[in-house]
Amino acid sequence: MTTTEATYSPPDKATHNGWRVFAIACIAIFMVSLDTTILYAGFSNILRSFPGATAADLSWAMNAYSIVYAAMLIPAGGIADKFGRKKIFMLGVLLFVSASFACGASPNVGFLIVARIVQSIGACLLSPAALAIVLEAFPREKRMVVMGAWGAVGALAAALGPGIGSLIIDIGGWQWAFFINIPIGLFCIWQSASSLQESIQPRDKLRLDWVGILQLMTGVGAIAFGLVELNSIHWSAVELLSIVVLGMALLLSYIPWAKSNPEPLFELGLLKSDTFLFANIAGFIFAIAFAIMFFSFFFWMKNIWHFSQSMAGTSIMPGPLTVVPTAILSGKLASKIGHRPLLITGTITYALSGLWFMLVPDASPDYLTEWLPGLILSGLSVGLVIPSLSAASVFGLPAKDYAVGSAINHAVRQIGTVIGVSLTVLLLAKAELQIADFHHIYAIHITLALITGLLCFPINTHPKQLLVKTSGTI
């Protein structure tokens, strides 16, 4: 028996308690997703508790998290492969819970940003390890269904996050939006210790590509900074444009670096697969659109319709709740027809939801007839697109690349989220919001949705492709 066979489960060898493993991993993913949507809901409340801070300052509590998460997620996949996916998963949960306490106890925005950075390191350690553990627990033919259910869990957290978060914020203050993670995380660690099996992908050595990590973090950070500060009186347009250009140059500089480095942050060879490449580019674009739509919702509810925190949080829940059954059904459909038809349908529908929000709602609150239809339309769209893109990004990858492939997909979506949050703060974080301000937001939403649809045409995950790949390896 080889070393690999002794320490690593074969790709098609499933554990007997696959759904129990799925449930434990999903507790952690649910916690991370819940935390993200709670912060969107509580943005205004947190800002009011720090009188000296601006919306641009506070946006870094969201963007710093996403930037570090994106940069550290890819090496985190390799760390999980080498040192043990169960071990790294549990370490990530513990770090996330500890940092959540620090976030809730933050005396100022600067401390909150630092705590969020630590929180993001915990999240990026647990996320790729969790998905790799889940994928290994099921046979290959069931993985599309599992990925649909996996996406549904994140959608369920997104659905419950605003409502639960808004209620928690109203009752105990925004600090409890972070403290809520503590009991969830501790329960997850308790269950993981006895129920998860360790799996390791042997590596001769693991060297972190710190140059690549810094290129990604600094490049994305510079672009986000340039966008967020466009309305600032402290920076000229030329200075900010120069910062954005510098950020783009830093990101592009990774290509020659990766070619010359024997152990880059991620192998450029993965991008030779059209499905992997276009699934990730589409995921980046769609993440911008999703962040814009989700974040701007709270600006509309609180500034145009003047809803309370609890009403605003509760009123968004039907959209994400629609994602849950849609994601499950899309996973089952994808196992028969592939992901491309679902992606094309979902992106067109998402563009139509943006058109609805642009043309229908007005200053007079009429939630049932003017907002709810668009919300359900967007929920159906997200349920078709996000789980499908996640599944497509790892379709056909060998088992040794599950964690890294998943990490890259999560990373590009986090980068897209940074851009989406930055654009929303730039366009909507102002004292007197008008309906016309939202027209620009939804025009961007529609455009990005259609671009995502075009990028999905080269994606080919039809089951026949899997049969070809499998037969080719026999």
Side-chain angles (χ1 to χ4, degrees):
M1 182 178 289
T2 66
T3 303
T4 301
E5 290 170 333
T7 56
Y8 182 71
S9 301
D12 290 317
K13 181 180 179 181
T15 61
H16 294 295
N17 59 341
W19 287 109
R20 181 175 176 81
V21 171
F22 177 87
I24 293 169
C26 283
I27 292 172
I29 297 302
F30 185 91
M31 176 181 65
V32 173
S33 301
L34 190 73
D35 184 79
T36 301
T37 54
I38 284 176
L39 198 60
Y40 281 108
F43 187 86
S44 299
N45 299 69
I46 300 173
L47 185 60
R48 284 197 298 270
S49 67
F50 299 125
T54 65
D57 295 333
L58 185 57
S59 70
W60 286 103
M62 302 168 76
N63 282 345
Y65 177 100
S66 297
I67 291 168
V68 174
Y69 187 89
M72 293 300 298
L73 193 60
I74 298 171
I79 291 170
D81 288 341
K82 180 174 177 62
F83 295 105
R85 290 158 177 173
K86 174 182 174 179
K87 185 186 302 179
I88 296 302
F89 172 75
M90 293 177 65
L91 175 63
V93 174
L94 180 61
L95 192 59
F96 188 89
V97 168
S98 303
S100 294
F101 175 80
C103 288
S106 297
N108 53 59
V109 171
F111 190 95
L112 176 60
I113 292 171
V114 173
R116 285 283 286 169
I117 289 173
V118 178
Q119 196 184 38
S120 74
I121 295 173
C124 75
L125 286 175
L126 73 88
S127 295
L131 183 57
I133 289 169
V134 168
L135 287 174
E136 195 169 281
F138 290 88
R140 184 182 292 272
E141 63 271 13
K142 291 186 177 180
R143 287 174 187 159
M144 283 190 177
V145 175
V146 171
M147 286 300 296
W150 183 260
V153 170
L156 180 61
L160 298 178
I164 293 175
S166 296
L167 182 61
I168 291 171
I169 290 167
D170 275 346
I171 294 174
W174 64 265
Q175 293 85 351
W176 281 94
F178 294 105
F179 292 155
I180 192 64
N181 294 328
I182 297 172
I184 299 175
L186 293 178
F187 177 79
C188 180
I189 292 172
W190 172 48
Q191 290 293 307
S192 299
S194 60
S195 300
L196 298 186
Q197 296 180 3
E198 186 60 277
S199 65
I200 296 174
Q201 174 63 33
R203 293 168 181 257
D204 295 332
K205 59 181 179 177
L206 177 68
R207 184 175 65 85
L208 294 183
D209 179 13
W210 290 109
V211 173
I213 291 171
L214 288 173
Q215 285 172 310
L216 181 59
M217 290 175 60
T218 309
V220 175
I223 294 170
F225 182 87
L227 291 174
V228 169
E229 297 292 335
L230 271 177
N231 290 331
S232 172
I233 61 174
H234 304 294
W235 297 86
S236 69
V238 173
E239 289 173 328
L240 291 174
L241 179 61
S242 300
I243 291 173
V244 171
V245 171
L246 176 63
M248 292 179 176
L250 283 168
L251 292 178
L252 291 174
S253 70
Y254 176 76
I255 297 175
W257 168 255
K259 289 180 178 179
S260 62
N261 183 9
E263 296 183 60
L265 184 60
F266 68 90
E267 296 286 349
L268 294 178
L270 287 173
L271 302 179
K272 292 180 180 179
S273 165
D274 285 346
T275 293
F276 181 82
L277 174 63
F278 283 95
N280 281 288
I281 297 175
F284 167 72
I285 299 297
F286 195 80
I288 301 175
F290 180 79
I292 287 173
M293 180 272 294
F294 201 85
F295 200 12
S296 64
F297 174 89
F298 293 99
F299 282 95
W300 178 282
M301 290 297 164
K302 300 187 77 173
N303 293 275
I304 304 299
W305 283 1
H306 304 291
F307 279 16
S308 66
Q309 178 69 51
S310 294
M311 284 184 65
T314 303
S315 60
I316 197 176
M317 289 175 66
L321 279 174
T322 306
V323 176
V324 179
T326 307
I328 295 172
L329 290 173
S330 68
K332 293 180 179 179
L333 279 173
S335 66
K336 295 180 174 62
I337 64 173
H339 294 99
R340 181 164 47 194
L342 305 177
L343 289 166
I344 302 301
T345 302
T347 52
I348 292 173
T349 309
Y350 199 62
L352 291 175
S353 73
L355 188 63
W356 177 281
F357 289 132
M358 177 188 286
L359 300 178
V360 176
D362 57 29
S364 302
D366 189 353
Y367 177 80
L368 290 178
T369 61
E370 293 187 358
W371 200 272
L372 185 59
L375 199 60
I376 292 175
L377 200 61
S378 67
L380 290 170
S381 308
V382 172
L384 289 171
V385 175
I386 291 184
S388 295
L389 286 175
S390 296
S393 69
V394 296
F395 179 87
L397 291 182
K400 68 182 181 65
D401 290 327
Y402 281 157
V404 173
S406 171
I408 292 171
N409 179 252
H410 277 79
V412 297
R413 283 165 51 188
Q414 286 296 315
I415 294 170
T417 298
V418 171
I419 304 302
V421 168
S422 301
L423 286 170
T424 307
V425 170
L426 171 66
L427 296 174
L428 299 182
K430 55 181 68 175
E432 297 294 332
L433 272 177
Q434 305 295 326
I435 291 179
D437 296 317
F438 288 87
H439 290 167
H440 301 296
I441 281 288
Y442 290 120
I444 297 172
H445 170 153
I446 294 166
T447 302
L448 293 176
L450 295 175
I451 292 173
T452 304
L454 291 174
L455 289 168
C456 291
F457 276 97
I459 294 174
N460 187 3
T461 61
H462 195 279
K464 289 181 180 178
Q465 286 290 109
L466 184 59
L467 291 174
V468 170
K469 290 178 181 290
T470 305
S471 63
T473 58
I474 295 175

